[in-house]
Amino acid sequence: MACAWAFLSGKGGTGKSTVALCAAVGLARAGQKVALVDADAGVRNLDMMLGMENKIVFDLLDVIEGEATLEQALGPVKGTPGLSLLCASQVRDPSEMTGDALCALLGSLRERFDQVVVDCPTGIGAIVQAIMSCVDEAVIVTTPDDIALRDADRAAGLVSQRGGARARVVVNRVRPEYVKRGLQYAPEAVAATLDAKLLGAVPEDEEIRRAALERRMPGEGEGGRALASLALAMLGRPAQETQRRRLFPRLSPS
Ligand SMILES: Nc1ncnc2c1ncn2[C@@H]1O[C@H](COP(=O)(O)OP(=O)(O)O)[C@@H](O)[C@H]1O
Ligand SMILES: [Mg+2]
């Protein structure tokens, strides 16, 4: 039975899709069979980020309504063996997808894959609430500033209220020099505030933005390495800690 991960955020634009996508690719590169689910009906973007927008024929609603099988709707990601993408509908009314039906579908994916990675819609609406009740790990993606943190705190509240999932946090767009100057919080402080285990910290890196524009995975820079090491942390492997020390040498406990 697969482990199911949901990536959520209180605020939009914190890097949820970037982090979920890179985590899923990393898991597949580590040999896992991975289903990546874009649950953001109407404003999905993982298909575009993967250059697959013309290849997706069937979506989550088609499967829920029996118009297509899961196998028909799952698109294999070219260049990443083991990774398949399943998307919410881009054109139908988002309210047509109920939380119960989505959870049942995630259950079917769990039986077929080693890991299920869900990119949630922004915020803590009904679909996100439903997803929280049927995944194992809820990864809150936030930036280390007051505004994002206030919204992340609401997301953390939802996770604990729903009970089922374990709360984790990825702190994205960290600028170590800002942390030193007290303009951003240290990743550990963010995790403590949210009462969630720190899964990883990703620096602000222009290469991440450029890679997204060019529709490729980030290269070997600090940002790319931090994103790649998230998958290892998800698998309980230690490389992430080494990576974090390199990125934030003064912020890590000795
Ligand atoms: N660590 C980072 N450094 C630089 N740019 C980033 C970083 N993380 C995300 N971005 C960029 O920020 C934008 C929003 O990211 P995205 O993953 O779409 O956020 P969300 O899914 O939370 O709305 C994208 O252009 C993405 O390339
Ligand atoms: Mg997104």
Side-chain angles (χ1 to χ4, degrees), residues 1-215:
M1 190 79 148
C3 184
W5 302 80
F7 287 77
L8 73 159
S9 72
K11 185 176 172 290
T14 58
K16 197 165 10 77
S17 298
T18 303
V19 167
L21 171 60
C22 291
V25 168
L27 287 169
R29 286 180 179 165
Q32 302 280 298
K33 198 177 168 207
V34 186
L36 175 60
V37 180
D38 191 332
D40 211 351
V43 283
R44 72 184 193 203
N45 45 38
L46 291 179
D47 56 337
M48 293 193 79
M49 290 167 85
L50 285 163
M52 292 173 66
E53 64 269 32
N54 296 324
K55 298 206 177 106
I56 302 294
V57 179
F58 297 111
D59 59 44
L60 279 168
L61 260 185
D62 293 321
V63 179
I64 288 168
E65 293 176 348
E67 299 293 326
T69 62
L70 256 184
E71 283 67 25
Q72 287 174 310
L74 281 159
V77 176
K78 206 174 150 205
T80 310
L83 178 61
S84 301
L85 176 67
L86 180 60
C87 292
S89 173
Q90 183 60 17
V91 288
R92 306 254 308 260
D93 185 338
S95 67
E96 288 184 67
M97 184 171 71
T98 68
D100 284 352
L102 179 57
C103 280
L105 200 144
L106 292 179
S108 306
L109 288 174
R110 275 166 176 275
E111 289 166 12
R112 291 167 164 80
F113 289 85
D114 300 321
Q115 309 280 343
V116 177
V117 174
V118 184
D119 183 16
C120 292
T122 293
I124 52 173
I127 283 290
V128 179
Q129 291 179 28
I131 293 169
M132 288 310 112
S133 65
C134 62
V135 295
D136 308 295
E137 310 278 345
V139 185
I140 299 161
V141 181
T142 185
T143 50
D145 54 85
D146 283 323
I147 294 174
L149 211 50
R150 184 171 66 182
D151 293 351
D153 197 45
R154 295 204 62 204
L158 169 69
V159 176
S160 69
Q161 185 193 324
R162 287 275 143 171
R166 195 154 59 131
R168 313 264 206 145
V169 61
V170 170
V171 184
N172 189 25
R173 313 194 79 141
V174 182
R175 288 176 179 260
E177 74 277 15
Y178 282 8
V179 176
K180 260 183 261 168
R181 288 164 56 196
L183 299 173
Q184 285 187 337
Y185 297 108
E188 293 80 2
V190 173
T193 301
L194 300 177
D195 197 17
K197 195 161 182 272
L198 184 64
L199 186 67
V202 181
E204 175 78 36
D205 186 346
E206 186 53 32
E207 161 63 5
I208 294 177
R209 182 182 292 279
R210 198 177 327 118
L213 291 172
E214 294 172 4
R215 300 201 189 178

